[in-house]
């Protein structure tokens, strides 16, 4: 059934293709006024959905429909630039109740969710089968309290891969210190933290070096471009090379006045 989207299947057995259905892997671009109606056509059978919405949207009705999709395994929602606010983020967080959801990407750049929205999205940690999560949260006025909430993904029971894109927000040392607690995520194998153009200083960089203690981490990408970590912060981050299982390490420390003194 996972190959039902392939045209070659219709050449092998047309009856089988018709029985399984042809709406398992769907890419949908539509206006906000038509989202729920368009979703209703295939939600009974869909396994993978990539949805891009144009115009203003209250995602509550769409999320209610998506949670009812019994086989939905992989979901990408592209809502960047739509002012859904904290209430919209609260609605999206209820995707934790989708019964089969395994991989989720939420593109929410410039959606005005703020700290309250980030705190709401942290509820996704309770999704029982979620293995892969990407939150694209660029330019949302998220500060330390929002980062502290997102750090609770360390408690996600099944999460193997986590990407937090927090470019151009207001995360400082306290927020970085909180995110360092992701070292306690026992199942996490891949972590990308993008804190480009925030307010992280020396103390924040030193605490992020504690990610070397993550017990299962194999891949780490840390982007601190455009912060203020200085030489001592960079020196502290060098300790990440000692992470026990790490196979891939990417650090972007440009724009931090390293070596300028």
């Amino acid at each position: 059934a996972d190959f039902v989207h392939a045209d070659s299947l219709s050449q092998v057995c047309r009856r089988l293709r018709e029985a399984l259905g042809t709406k398992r892997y769907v890419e949908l671009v539509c206006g906000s006024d038509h989202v729920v109606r368009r979703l209703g056509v295939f939600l009974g059978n869909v396994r993978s959905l990539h949805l891009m919405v144009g115009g203003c949207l209250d995602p509550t009705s769409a999320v209610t429909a998506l949670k009812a999709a019994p086989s939905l395994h992989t979901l990408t929602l592209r809502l960047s630039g739509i002012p859904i606010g904290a209430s919209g983020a609260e609605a999206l967080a209820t995707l934790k109740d989708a019964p089969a959801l395994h991989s989720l990407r939420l593109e929410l750049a410039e959606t005005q969710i703020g700290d309250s929205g980030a705190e709401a999205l942290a509820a996704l940690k309770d999704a029982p089968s979620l293995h892969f999560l990407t939150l694209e949260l660029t330019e949302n006025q998220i500060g330390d309290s929002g980062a502290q909430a997102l750090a609770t993904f360390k408690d996600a029971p099944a999460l193997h891969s986590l990407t937090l894109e927090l470019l151009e927000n207001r995360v400082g040392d306290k927020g970085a210190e909180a995110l360092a607690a992701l070292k306690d995520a026992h199942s996490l194998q891949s972590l990308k933290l993008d804190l480009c153009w925030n307010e992280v200083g020396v103390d924040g960089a030193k605490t992020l070096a504690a990610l070397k203690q993550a017990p299962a981490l194999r891949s780490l990408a840390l982007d601190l471009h455009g912060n203020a970590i200085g030489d001592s912060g960079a020196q502290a981050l060098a300790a990440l090379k000692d992470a026990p299982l790490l196979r891939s390490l990417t650090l972007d420390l440009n724009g931090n006045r390293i070596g300028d003194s």
Side-chain angles (χ1 to χ4, degrees), residues 25-40:
Y25 297 79
V26 178
E27 292 189 14
L28 178 62
V29 179
C30 63
S32 57
D33 293 341
H34 306 291
V35 173
V36 175
R37 178 177 60 81
R38 296 286 299 276
L39 287 175

Side-chain angles (χ1 to χ4, degrees), residues 144-160:
D144 289 337
S145 63
Q148 289 164 357
L150 295 172
T152 63
F153 281 115
K154 67 182 178 63
D155 300 321
L159 202 60
H160 289 175

Side-chain angles (χ1 to χ4, degrees), residues 80 170 177:
S80 292
R170 299 182 292 105
E177 180 180 357

Side-chain angles (χ1 to χ4, degrees), residues 49-243:
L49 173 63
H50 186 131
L51 173 62
M52 180 177 180
V53 179
C56 293
L57 174 71
D58 176 352
T60 303
S61 296
V63 170
T64 299
L66 290 167
K67 288 190 298 181
S71 302
L72 185 60
H73 175 277
T74 301
L75 175 62
T76 296
L77 291 180
R78 299 179 63 186
L79 304 177
S80 292
I82 299 175
I84 64 170
S87 61
E90 291 173 6
L92 291 170
T94 65
L95 286 167
K96 66 183 177 63
D97 299 322
L101 194 60
H102 183 272
S103 178
L104 175 63
R105 179 181 179 90
L106 296 179
E107 298 185 9
L108 302 175
E110 300 181 79
T111 50
Q112 302 178 17
I113 68 169
D115 283 327
S116 296
E119 291 163 4
L121 290 171
L124 290 167
K125 71 181 186 298
D126 298 323
S129 301
L130 193 63
H131 281 58
F132 301 91
L133 175 63
T134 295
L135 296 179
E136 211 287 67
L137 304 176
T138 298
E139 289 192 68
N140 270 294
Q141 294 294 306
I142 295 170
D144 289 337
S145 63
Q148 289 164 357
L150 295 172
T152 63
F153 281 115
K154 67 182 178 63
D155 300 321
L159 202 60
H160 289 175
S161 176
L162 174 63
T163 296
L164 297 177
E165 299 185 7
L166 291 162
L167 294 75
E168 298 188 67
N169 281 286
R170 299 182 292 105
V171 178
D173 287 339
K174 290 183 179 179
E177 180 180 357
L179 290 168
L182 291 168
K183 65 181 176 58
D184 298 324
H186 295 291
S187 300
L188 196 63
Q189 299 177 16
S190 176
L191 174 63
K192 178 181 178 182
L193 283 179
D194 194 336
L195 294 167
C196 178
W197 299 111
N198 275 270
E199 301 169 6
V200 180
V202 175
D203 291 341
K206 288 180 177 179
T207 56
L208 287 169
L211 289 169
K212 69 179 182 180
Q213 301 170 23
L217 199 61
R218 297 175 182 272
S219 176
L220 173 62
L222 180 58
D223 190 342
L224 289 167
H225 187 127
N227 284 273
I229 71 168
D231 289 339
S232 58
Q235 290 166 357
L237 289 170
L240 290 169
K241 70 182 188 302
D242 299 324

